[in-house]
Amino acid sequence: MTLYSFLDDYDLSGKKMIPSVISGGSGFSNTIHTTESMEPDAEVLDGLSLGSSQAANPKDAVADWLSGLGFAE
């Protein structure tokens, strides 16, 4: 996967990672666990997984998610 190649090349120690995905059904699958394993010194925050049916109008879901993380009002 492209993400894993990126994580192989860059050290994100001390960084906050905020995952998001639009998926047809598999959501994050094992991506969160793998990311935490590959970047043990990074902080992986709660991610947002939207189904493909939510992709057309994600505004409210994204706003709620970011607000819950303290990144938006």
Side-chain angles (χ1 to χ4, degrees):
M1 293 179 77
T2 305
L3 172 63
Y4 300 151
S5 295
F6 176 84
L7 296 176
D8 279 339
D9 290 342
Y10 294 92
D11 178 10
L12 299 177
S13 296
K15 305 293 184 194
K16 290 182 181 181
M17 299 177 68
I18 310 171
S20 63
V21 65
I22 296 175
S23 171
S26 62
F28 284 113
S29 192
N30 248 355
T31 302
I32 302 298
H33 175 71
T34 302
T35 300
E36 290 170 334
S37 296
M38 294 179 75
E39 294 291 341
D41 295 322
E43 181 181 2
V44 181
L45 302 178
D46 290 335
L48 175 67
S49 177
L50 296 177
S52 55
S53 62
Q54 296 170 294
N57 190 13
K59 183 179 178 181
D60 290 339
V62 171
D64 290 346
W65 170 57
L66 292 175
S67 179
L69 292 173
F71 290 105
E73 296 179 2

Short mmCIF file of all heavy atoms in Angstrom, two decimals:
data_model
loop_
_atom_site.label_atom_id
_atom_site.label_comp_id
_atom_site.label_asym_id
_atom_site.label_seq_id
_atom_site.Cartn_x
_atom_site.Cartn_y
_atom_site.Cartn_z
N MET A 1 0.82 -1.19 0.00
CA MET A 1 0.00 0.00 0.00
C MET A 1 0.87 1.25 0.00
O MET A 1 1.94 1.28 0.59
CB MET A 1 -0.91 0.01 1.22
CG MET A 1 -1.96 -1.07 1.23
SD MET A 1 -2.99 -1.02 2.72
CE MET A 1 -4.06 0.33 2.33
N THR A 2 0.37 2.28 -0.60
CA THR A 2 1.09 3.55 -0.68
C THR A 2 1.42 4.10 0.71
O THR A 2 2.52 4.59 0.96
CB THR A 2 0.27 4.58 -1.47
OG1 THR A 2 -0.05 4.02 -2.74
CG2 THR A 2 1.02 5.86 -1.64
N LEU A 3 0.47 4.01 1.63
CA LEU A 3 0.69 4.52 2.98
C LEU A 3 1.87 3.84 3.64
O LEU A 3 2.72 4.49 4.26
CB LEU A 3 -0.56 4.33 3.84
CG LEU A 3 -0.40 4.66 5.32
CD1 LEU A 3 -0.07 6.14 5.51
CD2 LEU A 3 -1.64 4.29 6.08
N TYR A 4 1.97 2.53 3.51
CA TYR A 4 3.05 1.80 4.17
C TYR A 4 4.40 2.14 3.55
O TYR A 4 5.40 2.23 4.27
CB TYR A 4 2.79 0.30 4.12
CG TYR A 4 1.51 -0.12 4.82
CD1 TYR A 4 0.81 -1.23 4.41
CD2 TYR A 4 0.98 0.63 5.88
CE1 TYR A 4 -0.37 -1.61 5.04
CE2 TYR A 4 -0.19 0.26 6.51
CZ TYR A 4 -0.86 -0.86 6.08
OH TYR A 4 -2.03 -1.24 6.71
N SER A 5 4.45 2.37 2.26
CA SER A 5 5.69 2.82 1.62
C SER A 5 6.11 4.17 2.16
O SER A 5 7.28 4.42 2.43
CB SER A 5 5.51 2.91 0.10
OG SER A 5 5.28 1.65 -0.45
N PHE A 6 5.13 5.07 2.34
CA PHE A 6 5.40 6.38 2.91
C PHE A 6 5.96 6.24 4.32
O PHE A 6 6.96 6.88 4.67
CB PHE A 6 4.12 7.23 2.92
CG PHE A 6 4.27 8.56 3.59
CD1 PHE A 6 4.78 9.65 2.89
CD2 PHE A 6 3.91 8.74 4.92
CE1 PHE A 6 4.93 10.89 3.51
CE2 PHE A 6 4.05 9.97 5.54
CZ PHE A 6 4.56 11.05 4.83
N LEU A 7 5.34 5.40 5.13
CA LEU A 7 5.80 5.22 6.51
C LEU A 7 7.17 4.57 6.58
O LEU A 7 7.92 4.82 7.53
CB LEU A 7 4.77 4.41 7.31
CG LEU A 7 3.41 5.07 7.49
CD1 LEU A 7 2.45 4.13 8.21
CD2 LEU A 7 3.51 6.40 8.20
N ASP A 8 7.51 3.76 5.59
CA ASP A 8 8.86 3.18 5.52
C ASP A 8 9.91 4.27 5.29
O ASP A 8 11.03 4.17 5.80
CB ASP A 8 8.96 2.16 4.38
CG ASP A 8 8.41 0.81 4.74
OD1 ASP A 8 8.31 0.49 5.95
OD2 ASP A 8 8.09 0.05 3.81
N ASP A 9 9.55 5.29 4.54
CA ASP A 9 10.51 6.32 4.14
C ASP A 9 10.62 7.50 5.11
O ASP A 9 11.61 8.22 5.08
CB ASP A 9 10.15 6.87 2.75
CG ASP A 9 10.39 5.86 1.64
OD1 ASP A 9 11.13 4.88 1.87
OD2 ASP A 9 9.83 6.05 0.54
N TYR A 10 9.61 7.72 5.94
CA TYR A 10 9.60 8.89 6.80
C TYR A 10 9.43 8.50 8.27
O TYR A 10 8.65 7.61 8.59
CB TYR A 10 8.48 9.86 6.40
CG TYR A 10 8.71 10.47 5.05
CD1 TYR A 10 8.18 9.88 3.91
CD2 TYR A 10 9.49 11.60 4.90
CE1 TYR A 10 8.41 10.41 2.65
CE2 TYR A 10 9.73 12.15 3.65
CZ TYR A 10 9.19 11.55 2.53
OH TYR A 10 9.43 12.09 1.30
N ASP A 11 10.14 9.20 9.12
CA ASP A 11 10.03 9.00 10.57
C ASP A 11 9.07 10.06 11.11
O ASP A 11 9.34 11.25 11.05
CB ASP A 11 11.41 9.15 11.21
CG ASP A 11 11.37 9.00 12.73
OD1 ASP A 11 10.32 8.59 13.29
OD2 ASP A 11 12.40 9.28 13.37
N LEU A 12 7.95 9.62 11.64
CA LEU A 12 6.94 10.54 12.15
C LEU A 12 6.93 10.59 13.67
O LEU A 12 5.93 10.96 14.29
CB LEU A 12 5.57 10.15 11.61
CG LEU A 12 5.46 10.19 10.08
CD1 LEU A 12 4.09 9.72 9.63
CD2 LEU A 12 5.74 11.58 9.55
N SER A 13 8.06 10.26 14.28
CA SER A 13 8.17 10.31 15.74
C SER A 13 7.79 11.70 16.25
O SER A 13 8.22 12.72 15.70
CB SER A 13 9.61 10.00 16.18
OG SER A 13 9.95 8.68 15.83
N GLY A 14 6.96 11.72 17.29
CA GLY A 14 6.55 12.98 17.88
C GLY A 14 5.43 13.69 17.14
O GLY A 14 4.99 14.75 17.57
N LYS A 15 4.99 13.13 16.04
CA LYS A 15 3.93 13.75 15.24
C LYS A 15 2.58 13.15 15.61
O LYS A 15 2.49 12.04 16.11
CB LYS A 15 4.17 13.52 13.74
CG LYS A 15 5.50 14.00 13.24
CD LYS A 15 5.61 15.49 13.31
CE LYS A 15 6.94 15.93 12.70
NZ LYS A 15 7.27 17.28 12.99
N LYS A 16 1.52 13.90 15.34
CA LYS A 16 0.16 13.40 15.47
C LYS A 16 -0.31 12.95 14.10
O LYS A 16 -0.20 13.70 13.13
CB LYS A 16 -0.78 14.47 16.00
CG LYS A 16 -0.54 14.83 17.43
CD LYS A 16 -1.54 15.85 17.92
CE LYS A 16 -1.22 16.20 19.37
NZ LYS A 16 -2.16 17.18 19.92
N MET A 17 -0.84 11.76 14.03
CA MET A 17 -1.39 11.24 12.78
C MET A 17 -2.90 11.12 12.95
O MET A 17 -3.38 10.61 13.96
CB MET A 17 -0.77 9.88 12.46
CG MET A 17 0.74 9.95 12.29
SD MET A 17 1.48 8.33 12.01
CE MET A 17 0.83 7.98 10.38
N ILE A 18 -3.64 11.61 11.97
CA ILE A 18 -5.09 11.59 12.03
C ILE A 18 -5.60 10.88 10.77
O ILE A 18 -5.74 11.49 9.72
CB ILE A 18 -5.67 13.02 12.12
CG1 ILE A 18 -4.98 13.81 13.23
CG2 ILE A 18 -7.17 12.96 12.34
CD1 ILE A 18 -5.34 15.28 13.24
N PRO A 19 -5.87 9.60 10.88
CA PRO A 19 -6.26 8.84 9.69
C PRO A 19 -7.71 9.11 9.28
O PRO A 19 -8.57 9.39 10.10
CB PRO A 19 -6.10 7.39 10.15
CG PRO A 19 -6.22 7.43 11.62
CD PRO A 19 -5.73 8.78 12.06
N SER A 20 -7.94 9.02 7.97
CA SER A 20 -9.29 9.09 7.44
C SER A 20 -9.35 8.22 6.20
O SER A 20 -8.34 8.01 5.51
CB SER A 20 -9.68 10.53 7.11
OG SER A 20 -8.85 11.05 6.10
N VAL A 21 -10.54 7.71 5.93
CA VAL A 21 -10.71 6.85 4.76
C VAL A 21 -12.16 6.92 4.30
O VAL A 21 -13.08 7.08 5.09
CB VAL A 21 -10.33 5.38 5.10
CG1 VAL A 21 -11.25 4.79 6.14
CG2 VAL A 21 -10.31 4.51 3.86
N ILE A 22 -12.34 6.84 2.99
CA ILE A 22 -13.66 6.62 2.39
C ILE A 22 -13.58 5.22 1.80
O ILE A 22 -12.69 4.92 1.01
CB ILE A 22 -13.99 7.67 1.33
CG1 ILE A 22 -14.10 9.05 1.97
CG2 ILE A 22 -15.28 7.29 0.60
CD1 ILE A 22 -14.30 10.18 0.99
N SER A 23 -14.50 4.39 2.22
CA SER A 23 -14.40 2.98 1.89
C SER A 23 -15.71 2.42 1.39
O SER A 23 -16.78 2.85 1.83
CB SER A 23 -13.96 2.22 3.14
OG SER A 23 -14.03 0.83 2.95
N GLY A 24 -15.60 1.43 0.56
CA GLY A 24 -16.78 0.73 0.08
C GLY A 24 -17.25 -0.34 1.04
O GLY A 24 -18.27 -0.99 0.80
N GLY A 25 -16.52 -0.55 2.13
CA GLY A 25 -16.98 -1.54 3.09
C GLY A 25 -15.94 -2.03 4.07
O GLY A 25 -16.28 -2.48 5.15
N SER A 26 -14.67 -1.95 3.73
CA SER A 26 -13.64 -2.51 4.62
C SER A 26 -13.17 -1.53 5.69
O SER A 26 -12.48 -1.93 6.62
CB SER A 26 -12.44 -2.99 3.81
OG SER A 26 -11.85 -1.91 3.11
N GLY A 27 -13.54 -0.27 5.57
CA GLY A 27 -13.11 0.72 6.56
C GLY A 27 -11.59 0.78 6.67
O GLY A 27 -10.88 0.71 5.68
N PHE A 28 -11.10 0.87 7.90
CA PHE A 28 -9.66 0.95 8.12
C PHE A 28 -8.99 -0.41 8.01
O PHE A 28 -7.77 -0.50 7.90
CB PHE A 28 -9.35 1.54 9.50
CG PHE A 28 -9.55 3.02 9.59
CD1 PHE A 28 -10.55 3.55 10.38
CD2 PHE A 28 -8.74 3.89 8.89
CE1 PHE A 28 -10.74 4.92 10.48
CE2 PHE A 28 -8.91 5.26 8.98
CZ PHE A 28 -9.92 5.77 9.78
N SER A 29 -9.79 -1.47 8.10
CA SER A 29 -9.23 -2.82 8.11
C SER A 29 -8.18 -2.90 9.21
O SER A 29 -8.47 -2.60 10.35
CB SER A 29 -8.69 -3.18 6.73
OG SER A 29 -8.41 -4.54 6.65
N ASN A 30 -6.95 -3.22 8.90
CA ASN A 30 -5.86 -3.32 9.89
C ASN A 30 -4.93 -2.11 9.85
O ASN A 30 -3.89 -2.11 10.49
CB ASN A 30 -5.05 -4.58 9.64
CG ASN A 30 -5.22 -5.60 10.73
OD1 ASN A 30 -5.87 -5.34 11.73
ND2 ASN A 30 -4.63 -6.76 10.54
N THR A 31 -5.31 -1.10 9.10
CA THR A 31 -4.41 0.04 8.86
C THR A 31 -4.00 0.77 10.14
O THR A 31 -2.84 1.13 10.30
CB THR A 31 -5.05 1.02 7.87
OG1 THR A 31 -5.34 0.33 6.66
CG2 THR A 31 -4.14 2.20 7.58
N ILE A 32 -4.92 0.98 11.06
CA ILE A 32 -4.59 1.71 12.30
C ILE A 32 -3.54 0.93 13.09
O ILE A 32 -2.52 1.49 13.51
CB ILE A 32 -5.84 1.96 13.16
CG1 ILE A 32 -6.89 2.76 12.38
CG2 ILE A 32 -5.47 2.67 14.47
CD1 ILE A 32 -6.45 4.13 11.94
N HIS A 33 -3.77 -0.34 13.29
CA HIS A 33 -2.82 -1.17 14.04
C HIS A 33 -1.46 -1.21 13.35
O HIS A 33 -0.42 -1.06 14.01
CB HIS A 33 -3.37 -2.59 14.20
CG HIS A 33 -2.41 -3.53 14.85
ND1 HIS A 33 -2.09 -3.45 16.19
CD2 HIS A 33 -1.68 -4.55 14.34
CE1 HIS A 33 -1.21 -4.38 16.48
NE2 HIS A 33 -0.94 -5.06 15.37
N THR A 34 -1.45 -1.37 12.05
CA THR A 34 -0.19 -1.41 11.30
C THR A 34 0.54 -0.08 11.39
O THR A 34 1.76 -0.03 11.59
CB THR A 34 -0.44 -1.79 9.83
OG1 THR A 34 -1.11 -3.06 9.79
CG2 THR A 34 0.85 -1.87 9.06
N THR A 35 -0.20 1.01 11.28
CA THR A 35 0.41 2.35 11.39
C THR A 35 1.03 2.54 12.76
O THR A 35 2.16 3.03 12.89
CB THR A 35 -0.64 3.44 11.12
OG1 THR A 35 -1.16 3.26 9.80
CG2 THR A 35 -0.05 4.83 11.25
N GLU A 36 0.32 2.15 13.81
CA GLU A 36 0.86 2.27 15.17
C GLU A 36 2.12 1.41 15.33
O GLU A 36 3.06 1.82 16.01
CB GLU A 36 -0.20 1.87 16.19
CG GLU A 36 -1.33 2.86 16.28
CD GLU A 36 -2.51 2.37 17.11
OE1 GLU A 36 -2.71 1.14 17.24
OE2 GLU A 36 -3.23 3.24 17.63
N SER A 37 2.15 0.26 14.70
CA SER A 37 3.33 -0.61 14.77
C SER A 37 4.51 -0.02 14.01
O SER A 37 5.66 -0.12 14.46
CB SER A 37 3.01 -1.99 14.19
OG SER A 37 2.04 -2.64 14.96
N MET A 38 4.23 0.60 12.87
CA MET A 38 5.30 1.16 12.04
C MET A 38 5.82 2.48 12.58
O MET A 38 6.97 2.84 12.31
CB MET A 38 4.81 1.34 10.59
CG MET A 38 4.51 0.03 9.89
SD MET A 38 3.91 0.27 8.21
CE MET A 38 5.46 0.72 7.39
N GLU A 39 4.98 3.21 13.30
CA GLU A 39 5.35 4.52 13.85
C GLU A 39 5.06 4.54 15.36
O GLU A 39 4.19 5.26 15.84
CB GLU A 39 4.57 5.63 13.15
CG GLU A 39 4.92 5.80 11.68
CD GLU A 39 6.31 6.34 11.45
OE1 GLU A 39 6.91 6.93 12.38
OE2 GLU A 39 6.81 6.20 10.33
N PRO A 40 5.80 3.75 16.14
CA PRO A 40 5.49 3.62 17.57
C PRO A 40 5.68 4.91 18.37
O PRO A 40 5.12 5.04 19.46
CB PRO A 40 6.45 2.53 18.05
CG PRO A 40 7.58 2.56 17.06
CD PRO A 40 6.96 2.95 15.75
N ASP A 41 6.45 5.85 17.85
CA ASP A 41 6.69 7.09 18.57
C ASP A 41 5.83 8.24 18.05
O ASP A 41 6.07 9.40 18.39
CB ASP A 41 8.18 7.46 18.50
CG ASP A 41 9.03 6.43 19.23
OD1 ASP A 41 8.60 5.94 20.29
OD2 ASP A 41 10.12 6.10 18.73
N ALA A 42 4.84 7.92 17.23
CA ALA A 42 3.87 8.91 16.76
C ALA A 42 2.56 8.67 17.52
O ALA A 42 2.31 7.58 18.03
CB ALA A 42 3.63 8.77 15.26
N GLU A 43 1.75 9.69 17.60
CA GLU A 43 0.44 9.57 18.24
C GLU A 43 -0.62 9.43 17.16
O GLU A 43 -0.80 10.33 16.34
CB GLU A 43 0.15 10.81 19.09
CG GLU A 43 -1.17 10.76 19.80
CD GLU A 43 -1.45 12.02 20.62
OE1 GLU A 43 -0.63 12.96 20.62
OE2 GLU A 43 -2.51 12.05 21.27
N VAL A 44 -1.29 8.30 17.11
CA VAL A 44 -2.35 8.06 16.13
C VAL A 44 -3.69 8.36 16.79
O VAL A 44 -4.11 7.67 17.70
CB VAL A 44 -2.30 6.62 15.59
CG1 VAL A 44 -3.39 6.41 14.53
CG2 VAL A 44 -0.93 6.30 14.99
N LEU A 45 -4.32 9.44 16.34
CA LEU A 45 -5.59 9.88 16.91
C LEU A 45 -6.75 9.10 16.30
O LEU A 45 -6.58 8.37 15.32
CB LEU A 45 -5.78 11.39 16.68
CG LEU A 45 -4.69 12.29 17.25
CD1 LEU A 45 -4.97 13.75 16.91
CD2 LEU A 45 -4.58 12.12 18.75
N ASP A 46 -7.93 9.29 16.86
CA ASP A 46 -9.12 8.62 16.34
C ASP A 46 -9.35 9.03 14.89
O ASP A 46 -9.35 10.22 14.57
CB ASP A 46 -10.36 8.99 17.16
CG ASP A 46 -10.34 8.38 18.55
OD1 ASP A 46 -9.67 7.34 18.74
OD2 ASP A 46 -10.99 8.94 19.43
N GLY A 47 -9.56 8.04 14.07
CA GLY A 47 -9.75 8.30 12.65
C GLY A 47 -11.21 8.42 12.28
O GLY A 47 -12.11 8.16 13.07
N LEU A 48 -11.42 8.81 11.04
CA LEU A 48 -12.76 8.92 10.48
C LEU A 48 -12.87 7.97 9.31
O LEU A 48 -12.07 8.04 8.37
CB LEU A 48 -13.04 10.35 10.00
CG LEU A 48 -14.38 10.55 9.29
CD1 LEU A 48 -15.54 10.35 10.25
CD2 LEU A 48 -14.44 11.93 8.66
N SER A 49 -13.83 7.08 9.37
CA SER A 49 -14.10 6.16 8.28
C SER A 49 -15.50 6.42 7.77
O SER A 49 -16.48 6.28 8.49
CB SER A 49 -13.98 4.71 8.78
OG SER A 49 -14.30 3.81 7.74
N LEU A 50 -15.58 6.86 6.51
CA LEU A 50 -16.87 7.12 5.89
C LEU A 50 -17.14 6.04 4.84
O LEU A 50 -16.24 5.66 4.10
CB LEU A 50 -16.88 8.48 5.20
CG LEU A 50 -16.73 9.71 6.07
CD1 LEU A 50 -16.68 10.96 5.20
CD2 LEU A 50 -17.85 9.81 7.08
N GLY A 51 -18.37 5.59 4.79
CA GLY A 51 -18.77 4.68 3.73
C GLY A 51 -18.91 5.42 2.43
O GLY A 51 -19.07 6.65 2.41
N SER A 52 -18.88 4.70 1.34
CA SER A 52 -18.96 5.35 0.03
C SER A 52 -20.26 6.14 -0.14
O SER A 52 -20.28 7.17 -0.82
CB SER A 52 -18.81 4.32 -1.09
OG SER A 52 -19.76 3.28 -0.94
N SER A 53 -21.33 5.73 0.54
CA SER A 53 -22.59 6.46 0.43
C SER A 53 -22.52 7.81 1.15
O SER A 53 -23.29 8.72 0.84
CB SER A 53 -23.75 5.64 1.00
OG SER A 53 -23.54 5.39 2.38
N GLN A 54 -21.61 7.96 2.11
CA GLN A 54 -21.46 9.22 2.84
C GLN A 54 -20.52 10.19 2.12
O GLN A 54 -20.45 11.36 2.48
CB GLN A 54 -20.90 8.95 4.23
CG GLN A 54 -21.81 8.13 5.12
CD GLN A 54 -21.08 7.71 6.38
OE1 GLN A 54 -20.14 6.94 6.33
NE2 GLN A 54 -21.53 8.24 7.51
N ALA A 55 -19.80 9.71 1.12
CA ALA A 55 -18.77 10.52 0.46
C ALA A 55 -19.34 11.73 -0.28
O ALA A 55 -18.66 12.74 -0.42
CB ALA A 55 -17.96 9.66 -0.49
N ALA A 56 -20.57 11.64 -0.74
CA ALA A 56 -21.15 12.74 -1.50
C ALA A 56 -21.43 13.96 -0.63
O ALA A 56 -21.41 15.09 -1.12
CB ALA A 56 -22.44 12.28 -2.18
N ASN A 57 -21.66 13.76 0.66
CA ASN A 57 -21.98 14.86 1.56
C ASN A 57 -21.32 14.63 2.93
O ASN A 57 -22.01 14.37 3.91
CB ASN A 57 -23.49 15.02 1.69
CG ASN A 57 -23.87 16.30 2.41
OD1 ASN A 57 -23.05 17.19 2.60
ND2 ASN A 57 -25.11 16.38 2.83
N PRO A 58 -19.99 14.75 3.00
CA PRO A 58 -19.29 14.43 4.24
C PRO A 58 -19.16 15.59 5.24
O PRO A 58 -18.61 15.41 6.32
CB PRO A 58 -17.91 14.03 3.74
CG PRO A 58 -17.70 14.92 2.55
CD PRO A 58 -19.07 15.00 1.90
N LYS A 59 -19.65 16.77 4.88
CA LYS A 59 -19.39 17.98 5.67
C LYS A 59 -19.70 17.82 7.15
O LYS A 59 -18.87 18.12 8.00
CB LYS A 59 -20.16 19.15 5.08
CG LYS A 59 -19.89 20.46 5.78
CD LYS A 59 -20.67 21.59 5.14
CE LYS A 59 -20.43 22.88 5.89
NZ LYS A 59 -21.18 24.00 5.31
N ASP A 60 -20.89 17.36 7.49
CA ASP A 60 -21.28 17.26 8.90
C ASP A 60 -20.44 16.22 9.63
O ASP A 60 -20.01 16.45 10.77
CB ASP A 60 -22.77 16.92 9.04
CG ASP A 60 -23.67 18.07 8.62
OD1 ASP A 60 -23.20 19.23 8.61
OD2 ASP A 60 -24.84 17.81 8.29
N ALA A 61 -20.21 15.09 9.01
CA ALA A 61 -19.41 14.02 9.65
C ALA A 61 -17.99 14.49 9.90
O ALA A 61 -17.42 14.25 10.97
CB ALA A 61 -19.42 12.77 8.79
N VAL A 62 -17.40 15.19 8.93
CA VAL A 62 -16.02 15.69 9.09
C VAL A 62 -15.97 16.77 10.15
O VAL A 62 -15.07 16.78 11.01
CB VAL A 62 -15.46 16.19 7.74
CG1 VAL A 62 -14.13 16.90 7.93
CG2 VAL A 62 -15.31 15.04 6.75
N ALA A 63 -16.94 17.67 10.15
CA ALA A 63 -16.97 18.74 11.16
C ALA A 63 -17.11 18.16 12.57
O ALA A 63 -16.41 18.58 13.49
CB ALA A 63 -18.11 19.71 10.86
N ASP A 64 -18.00 17.18 12.74
CA ASP A 64 -18.17 16.55 14.06
C ASP A 64 -16.91 15.84 14.50
O ASP A 64 -16.51 15.90 15.66
CB ASP A 64 -19.33 15.55 14.02
CG ASP A 64 -20.69 16.22 13.90
OD1 ASP A 64 -20.78 17.46 14.11
OD2 ASP A 64 -21.66 15.51 13.57
N TRP A 65 -16.26 15.14 13.58
CA TRP A 65 -15.03 14.40 13.86
C TRP A 65 -13.92 15.35 14.31
O TRP A 65 -13.29 15.15 15.34
CB TRP A 65 -14.64 13.61 12.63
CG TRP A 65 -13.29 12.97 12.62
CD1 TRP A 65 -12.80 12.06 13.53
CD2 TRP A 65 -12.27 13.14 11.65
NE1 TRP A 65 -11.54 11.67 13.17
CE2 TRP A 65 -11.19 12.31 12.02
CE3 TRP A 65 -12.17 13.90 10.50
CZ2 TRP A 65 -10.02 12.24 11.27
CZ3 TRP A 65 -11.01 13.80 9.75
CH2 TRP A 65 -9.95 12.99 10.14
N LEU A 66 -13.71 16.41 13.54
CA LEU A 66 -12.66 17.37 13.88
C LEU A 66 -12.95 18.10 15.18
O LEU A 66 -12.05 18.35 15.98
CB LEU A 66 -12.46 18.37 12.74
CG LEU A 66 -11.87 17.79 11.46
CD1 LEU A 66 -11.85 18.85 10.35
CD2 LEU A 66 -10.47 17.23 11.70
N SER A 67 -14.20 18.40 15.42
CA SER A 67 -14.59 19.04 16.67
C SER A 67 -14.32 18.11 17.85
O SER A 67 -13.80 18.54 18.89
CB SER A 67 -16.08 19.40 16.62
OG SER A 67 -16.48 20.00 17.83
N GLY A 68 -14.62 16.84 17.69
CA GLY A 68 -14.38 15.87 18.74
C GLY A 68 -12.90 15.72 19.07
O GLY A 68 -12.53 15.38 20.20
N LEU A 69 -12.05 15.97 18.09
CA LEU A 69 -10.60 15.91 18.30
C LEU A 69 -10.04 17.24 18.81
O LEU A 69 -8.86 17.33 19.13
CB LEU A 69 -9.89 15.54 16.99
CG LEU A 69 -10.12 14.13 16.48
CD1 LEU A 69 -9.51 13.97 15.08
CD2 LEU A 69 -9.56 13.09 17.41
N GLY A 70 -10.89 18.27 18.86
CA GLY A 70 -10.45 19.57 19.32
C GLY A 70 -9.81 20.42 18.25
O GLY A 70 -9.11 21.39 18.55
N PHE A 71 -10.06 20.10 16.98
CA PHE A 71 -9.46 20.84 15.87
C PHE A 71 -10.43 21.79 15.19
O PHE A 71 -10.07 22.45 14.24
CB PHE A 71 -8.87 19.88 14.83
CG PHE A 71 -7.65 19.16 15.32
CD1 PHE A 71 -7.70 17.84 15.68
CD2 PHE A 71 -6.44 19.84 15.45
CE1 PHE A 71 -6.57 17.16 16.14
CE2 PHE A 71 -5.31 19.19 15.91
CZ PHE A 71 -5.38 17.85 16.26
N ALA A 72 -11.67 21.81 15.63
CA ALA A 72 -12.67 22.70 15.02
C ALA A 72 -13.70 23.04 16.07
O ALA A 72 -13.85 22.36 17.07
CB ALA A 72 -13.31 22.03 13.82
N GLU A 73 -14.43 24.09 15.82
CA GLU A 73 -15.50 24.50 16.75
C GLU A 73 -16.82 23.86 16.38
O GLU A 73 -17.10 23.56 15.30
CB GLU A 73 -15.64 26.01 16.72
CG GLU A 73 -14.37 26.69 17.23
CD GLU A 73 -14.47 28.20 17.19
OE1 GLU A 73 -15.52 28.75 16.81
OE2 GLU A 73 -13.49 28.84 17.53
#
